[in-house]
Amino acid sequence: MALNVVIAAPEAVPFAKTGGLADVAGSLPAALSRLGLRVVLFMPFYRQVADKGFELEPTGIEVAVPMGRRVVRAEALLGHHQGVPVYFIKRDEFFDRTYLYGTPEGDYFDNLERYAFFSRAILEVLKARNLSPDIIHCNDWQTGLIPAYLRDMYRGEPIFRKTATVFTVHNIAYQGQFPANLYDATGLSFQLFNPEGLEFWGSINLLKAGLVFSDAITTVSKAYSREIQRPEYGYGLDGVLRKRKDSVFGILNGVDYSEWDPESDPAIPENYSPSDLKGKSACRKKLLKAFGLKGIKAKTLLIGMITRLADQKGLDILSEAMPELMKMDIALVILGSGDRSHQEGLKELSARYPERLSVRIAFDSELSHLVEAGADAFLMPSRYEPCGLNQIYSLKYGTVPIVRATGGLDDTVRGYPDEDGNGFKFKEYSASALIEKVAEAVDVYSRKKEWTTLQRRGMADNFSWDDAAAKYLEAYNTAKARLHKS
Ligand code: ADP
């Protein structure tokens, strides 16, 4: 019998996106359907979704969620993406906002309420629709309470009797921590608020709830699954993960090549392929123009970056390295959005080096395709990187990645000059290691034939969803086998 799977995600392409999780939630469901599973996706009905004008049907379902002293109602809307039904939880008080989780100044003050509500509303909609899932696949802290709810107030519900939970960590640094005095908003019984449950040094920790109460845990690369079990990368939760190490799986994200392929990408001025790379130079020209860089010669290595502006992304070593980098024959374009302090830092740098560094502060999916296609190399100097998608897109676009060897970057980029190298990678998290690698890339770029070999090798790599979906199916089966045992 085909497994019934519910995927709960706080964001999904094409509806709303802040980062890689949205790409995963946008394409994993269809890949699982191709394996014969019956999949539905749940996400909040954000203002972004309303603004994009998707055609959604009312379902007639209205659920009531007890939240502390009040009862909060939600409506469920239904849409589809790649043939998969998508339920949207609509409660404007919580989700009709400019941003998803917070402004550049910081998180929204009521995120606990917002996502406790989202998590519980999903279970209520499932009840109302009489859908009995084999698996609820939760993603990140926003959905971490679902496994706890199933162990607590939904324990006796016949419809969830055979429901196992899988919890995927897309980034362990974002944990959803809240002061204990807000505990009422979760609706959970107080027995769960202890160090064996979702308490974390006196606070509520939603990611920890997901880690402790789910039947299986996955994260988005093998290297990251090992790293987060060590104190340097575990953000305080490494011990919790070590305790559950037999239930932790590292599954590298796939990418959606129907969206990310230079042979068919409609967002770039000329398409190109491994056998005919000519179109890439038209993309390069358009990219330079889009970023207002003039007089950059073909022999200059054009490096692109697309990034959330967050500490994780290596912006500190990049800015320390900048004076040395700017002495090399390179130009750099950066597309990024996020923390105010990083925005300011980058703007200052681009004002200092206006001829060869251009920064665009925006979240612009269309432009991100042009950066992938038009740059010669792609830089990701991350302090840590659970999976990283842009280096995988870059490989497909013949845009050679220069990365720090961490998490998914380490799993997907093979360092040149190794025989099968597809990019450049440095180990130490430092400006000097970064400078050294960029210098190597500049050197290889000056030898056209060698560079083209490197480009073609990356373009031949394949990270499609089909492999990853098969591995999720294994994790689902493990979770089912362990149901109520963990
Ligand atoms: P993370 O999830 O940590 O942000 P990933 O590399 O896994 O990092 O995924 C980032 C995704 O978000 C990619 O699809 C990337 O292209 C996209 N992205 C990040 N910043 C921007 C931006 N400023 N404009 C457009 N797309 C962006």
Side-chain angles (χ1 to χ4, degrees), residues 17 19-20 23 306-308 313 335-336 362-364 388-390 393:
K17 167 166 171 174
D23 296 271
I306 302 165
T307 182
R308 276 187 303 113
K313 300 294 182 180
L335 168 64
F363 193 95
D364 186 335
L389 290 170
N390 281 113
Y393 301 148

Side-chain angles (χ1 to χ4, degrees), residues 202-456:
S203 296
I204 304 164
N205 185 317
L206 301 194
L207 191 88
K208 189 176 175 203
L211 295 180
V212 170
F213 295 114
S214 57
D215 298 295
I217 298 166
T218 75
T219 185
V220 290
S221 67
K222 281 225 169 347
Y224 194 60
S225 75
R226 293 188 296 269
E227 285 172 355
I228 55 178
Q229 296 185 45
R230 305 207 315 255
E232 310 91 280
Y233 288 93
Y235 283 78
L237 292 175
D238 44 294
V240 177
L241 281 156
R242 281 196 302 276
K243 243 188 182 165
R244 298 210 57 199
K245 65 175 186 306
D246 295 335
S247 305
V248 179
F249 303 86
I251 305 175
L252 191 75
N253 288 336
V255 301
D256 186 348
Y257 289 124
S258 69
E259 203 183 320
W260 294 95
D261 183 345
E263 284 193 57
S264 53
D265 192 332
I268 60 177
E270 259 182 53
N271 294 112
Y272 58 91
S273 68
S275 59
D276 183 5
L277 285 161
K278 266 200 320 291
K280 196 165 167 60
S281 47
C283 300
R284 190 183 194 269
K285 257 192 212 124
K286 187 164 176 199
L287 175 62
L288 286 168
K289 198 160 175 219
F291 275 81
L293 289 179
K294 296 202 183 92
I296 305 293
K297 306 222 167 65
K299 70 173 189 44
T300 301
L301 181 72
L302 175 59
I303 302 178
M305 274 182 89
I306 302 165
T307 182
R308 276 187 303 113
L309 300 177
D311 292 345
Q312 155 196 359
K313 300 294 182 180
L315 300 161
D316 54 349
I317 58 172
L318 177 67
S319 101
E320 194 187 329
M322 201 59 83
E324 282 304 311
L325 294 180
M326 289 290 125
K327 289 180 194 157
M328 298 178 197
D329 193 7
I330 68 166
L332 180 56
V333 295
I334 303 177
L335 168 64
S337 65
D339 298 353
R340 181 80 64 207
S341 61
H342 289 302
Q343 291 185 17
E344 304 294 327
L346 284 177
K347 277 194 209 140
E348 265 168 44
L349 281 172
S350 63
R352 208 174 314 155
Y353 306 102
E355 266 111 55
R356 269 164 335 109
L357 168 63
S358 177
V359 175
R360 178 77 55 86
I361 304 294
F363 193 95
D364 186 335
S365 296
E366 178 104 359
L367 186 58
S368 75
H369 285 247
L370 185 62
V371 176
E372 285 294 359
D376 302 307
F378 195 92
L379 181 62
M380 293 178 80
S382 305
R383 183 185 286 276
Y384 68 89
E385 194 61 72
C387 174
L389 290 170
N390 281 113
Q391 84 282 12
I392 306 181
Y393 301 148
S394 298
L395 288 168
K396 187 73 181 171
Y397 282 72
T399 303
V400 179
I402 305 171
V403 305
R404 176 162 177 262
T406 181
L409 297 175
D410 203 14
D411 283 356
T412 52
V413 176
R414 304 179 301 276
Y416 195 73
D418 284 1
E419 215 182 307
D420 66 341
N422 59 3
F424 298 89
K425 64 177 173 182
F426 57 98
K427 187 97 204 138
E428 189 187 274
Y429 186 73
S430 70
S432 58
L434 164 61
I435 292 163
E436 199 179 304
K437 270 305 141 186
V438 174
E440 266 178 50
V442 170
D443 179 46
V444 177
Y445 186 67
S446 69
R447 297 188 293 277
K448 230 21 299 131
K449 237 174 111 184
E450 209 174 318
W451 186 263
T452 309
T453 307
L454 200 50
Q455 285 180 297
R456 293 218 167 99

Side-chain angles (χ1 to χ4, degrees), residues 55-61 75-79 87 129:
E55 267 183 39
L56 307 179
E57 310 156 24
T59 59
I61 299 175
E75 201 185 318
L77 302 175
L78 181 63
Y87 285 95
R129 276 253 141 156

Side-chain angles (χ1 to χ4, degrees), residues 9-23:
E11 56 183 272
V13 164
F15 306 105
K17 167 166 171 174
T18 68
L21 164 56
D23 296 271

